[in-house]
Amino acid sequence: MATKVDEVAARWEQQQREIAAMLDQLKPPDDWKLLPADPNYKYPLVRYYRYRGTVLSNFPLLWGFLESWKRFQARPKDVIVASFPKSGTTWLQELVWRVVHGETSVNSGGGATLEYRFPLLDEPYADIMKMTPIHDMEDPRLIKTHLPYDLLPPSVHTGNAKVLYVSRDPRDVCVSYYHFFRMINYAEYRGTFQEFRDSFVRGEVMYAPYREHVQGYLRHADTVLCVTYEQLHADRAAVVRRVAAFLERPVTDAEAESIARHTSFEAMKENPGTNYRHWEKTGMVNVGSEGTFMRKGQVGDWKNYFTEEEGAAFLKWAKQPV
Ligand code: PPS
């Protein structure tokens, strides 16, 4: 039987033609400032803009981000997992999903991918992915976002939605992001790591500036539950308990241990609901050439990309208050 993923995959070529046609017609609002093109991105249909300080691509615009953002009304049962990309979003999403649904079986959500169970607020690609639009989802809605705190829809700031934020050693974020942009066909980054790192620091990569992003959420740590990738590595069951307490969905010790076990790197790499291998079918990634979404899952991979001095300087830059 054909799945939604098969339907999406069958439309890849047509979708590229549609995107090209939409791009021809695209007239970004005045407050979307086009950034100079970075020739290292080889995918021909992507443009980067700065919108209210943050770098976003033409994709949110093409897919109705502004309309959807205005329409978004937070509900008391909403749970939002926010992050700068590559900080452990998927990891925290799966953990949250399991806490909310009391899910302790191996393949959560019957194997449905997180993209459907826990959709992205920023790119309302529901049509393209044959998904239920976020507005029509039933409670409890679990929603992912990479938007900085100030760009969250106003009803999230004033509403009762519960927001969680995950951050990670910025050097590992940068390495993971570099590989991600090399892997996905919607970017096809072909510059060197040094070039990518420099554009990260200049605040020119998607969702930059990085420091403002992290510090913007940490400033709201009184209402936002902030966890780190490194804490997830060190003691996942403890994070499960913190998340459960924050969401007011208590878990037993046995449940906490089970959720911790099913959210190990190895378990999530095997789980079709979390490993993003379906992207290999839908055309999102270039199969085989640049690795997979679940790449290494390590703390400290940066040491393979930075010298000790470069790493120290980068960390100092990242921690500077802005
Ligand atoms: S995204 O695209 O922004 O949502 O990506 P995000 O999920 O934030 O980050 C992807 C990185 O997280 C790693 N990951 C994990 N590490 C350890 N354990 C588990 N369970 C896990 N799940 C995801 C994933 O491998 C990416 O990191 P790198 O360093 O590239 O391997």
Side-chain angles (χ1 to χ4, degrees), residues 207-233:
Y207 293 107
Y210 175 80
R211 296 182 298 192
E212 284 78 350
H213 202 290
V214 177
Q215 293 174 31
Y217 276 94
L218 294 185
R219 264 197 288 279
H220 293 91
D222 52 336
T223 53
V224 173
L225 181 72
C226 297
V227 305
T228 69
Y229 186 92
E230 292 73 22
Q231 288 165 352
L232 283 161
H233 253 280

Side-chain angles (χ1 to χ4, degrees), residues 86-91 144 146 168 176 229 263 295-297:
K86 313 326 283 182
S87 300
T89 332
T90 312
W91 204 357
K144 160 183 175 177
H146 293 308
R168 182 182 189 184
S176 180
Y229 186 92
T263 50
R295 195 182 60 91
K296 282 194 179 171

Side-chain angles (χ1 to χ4, degrees), residues 155 165 211-212 266 268 306 314:
S155 61
Y165 187 73
R211 296 182 298 192
E212 284 78 350
E266 294 69 27
M268 285 182 55
F306 294 76
F314 190 88

Side-chain angles (χ1 to χ4, degrees), residues 275-295:
N275 63 17
Y276 282 90
R277 296 294 297 262
H278 66 291
W279 279 1
E280 293 166 17
K281 267 187 158 185
T282 61
M284 271 288 282
V285 303
N286 192 356
V287 182
S289 66
E290 292 292 341
T292 53
F293 186 93
M294 300 292 286
R295 195 182 60 91

